[in-house]
Amino acid sequence: MWTDYKDADIHFTIADTRFHTLNFVYERFERSIPSHSHGNGSYEIHYIPQGRGRALIDGVYHEVIPGTLYVTGPHVEHAQSPLLEDPMCEYCIYLKTEKRRRSASSFSAGEAELLSVFENTPFWFGQDTQKAGTLMMEIFEELQSRRTGCIFQVEALLRQLLVSLVRNYEDYENHEKNGRPKAAGLSAASDKTAFIIEEYFLYEYRDLSLEDLAARLGLGTRQTERLLQRQYGKTFLQKKAEARMSAAAILLSDPSRSITSVAEDLGYSSIEHFSSAFKNYYRISPRQYRKEGVYHSFPDRRESG
């Protein structure tokens, strides 16, 4: 089951930061999501109301159970896989932030404090104790009903959600923090372009093509290649290999799956072709990768550049 709202660009400002909500997704997971990260100013808020699974975040596995809440901010690598006997369901909200020119006298100290805690916690994982999950479900109900005043209500709920997140952070004395410095957000147009690119490589790794991506962006293939180089420092083929191999690694971590089925899911014509590509990328065969339990530590075995 999949529900998403991509066109509800609801935006609001806290202190000197503009929040754009580019995507709202609800999904019952019967597939694994490969390792990926988002760019400057990007945050994903994940809430699991039911089901179980695992999340791999910056190389560390976390057990996902009902009531799990986690936030992945800029450049935080994350992947997730469901427990097939009890697949997890997830509400996910994708936010982009953009700095605005506002004098400190135009907003309250409370706003500044809230924003500071949120921006300085680019990763958090734990059980929701502040009803953030309830707020996320109310947001989806509003988007589905489209009743009068829906946009205003969702904006208000999003503000409450940020307060709830920060209170969750503060409620855990030993919560996990990542001290990466915050980065300025991109323009709204750049946000949308980056979102299209990231979503394409994340969900459609089986049938990636430069022509298809260019068409979605409304650009030519050469323009698209230059855009990828500028934003990610990689060519299309490098991004394609990264997406497929990240998916391969997370799929191979499921011992119930055969290597042949993994190769088929990734769109390879044969297990030999898949094994060759995997070994070129990770310097180890899929069979050795699984046998040695490499996926438990998930090291970066890729070639530099």
Side-chain angles (χ1 to χ4, degrees), residues 71-213:
V71 178
T72 48
H75 312 295
V76 175
E77 290 280 347
H78 55 289
Q80 59 188 42
S81 55
L83 179 67
L84 296 182
E85 295 79 12
D86 185 18
M88 59 188 180
C89 298
E90 180 192 80
Y91 290 93
C92 181
I93 297 176
Y94 184 101
L95 297 172
K96 277 283 203 175
T97 61
E98 177 187 6
K99 287 298 180 183
R100 315 286 282 187
R101 289 188 177 180
R102 293 184 67 192
S103 65
S105 61
S106 66
F107 52 82
S108 69
E111 284 184 272
E113 181 184 13
L114 176 70
L115 184 64
S116 176
V117 175
F118 178 76
E119 289 183 326
N120 285 291
T121 313
F123 167 59
W124 188 87
F125 186 102
Q127 282 288 292
D128 177 27
T129 63
Q130 300 295 322
K131 300 183 178 178
T134 300
L135 290 168
M136 291 179 75
M137 289 187 278
E138 288 181 17
I139 287 169
F140 277 76
E141 289 172 5
E142 281 290 332
L143 291 170
Q144 183 176 32
S145 68
R146 294 288 182 179
R147 296 179 63 185
T148 303
C150 165
I151 299 302
F152 299 105
Q153 182 72 348
V154 171
E155 179 186 328
L157 289 168
L158 285 167
R159 289 175 178 274
Q160 291 179 57
L161 177 60
L162 291 187
V163 173
S164 179
L165 291 178
V166 167
R167 289 181 176 179
N168 266 293
Y169 302 164
E170 295 174 341
D171 198 43
Y172 278 73
E173 291 183 1
N174 299 315
H175 63 272
E176 297 179 63
K177 275 195 173 184
N178 186 315
R180 295 188 183 91
K182 58 182 179 289
L186 305 173
S187 69
S190 297
D191 287 349
K192 200 72 173 178
T193 297
F195 177 73
I196 291 170
I197 293 170
E198 290 170 5
E199 188 178 57
Y200 184 67
F201 283 104
L202 177 59
Y203 294 113
E204 301 188 39
Y205 50 80
R206 179 185 171 91
D207 300 301
L208 297 167
S209 81
L210 178 59
E211 293 74 17
D212 185 28
L213 177 58

Side-chain angles (χ1 to χ4, degrees), residues 245-256:
M245 291 300 103
S246 293
I250 195 70
L251 291 171
L252 286 169
S253 72
D254 181 352
S256 68

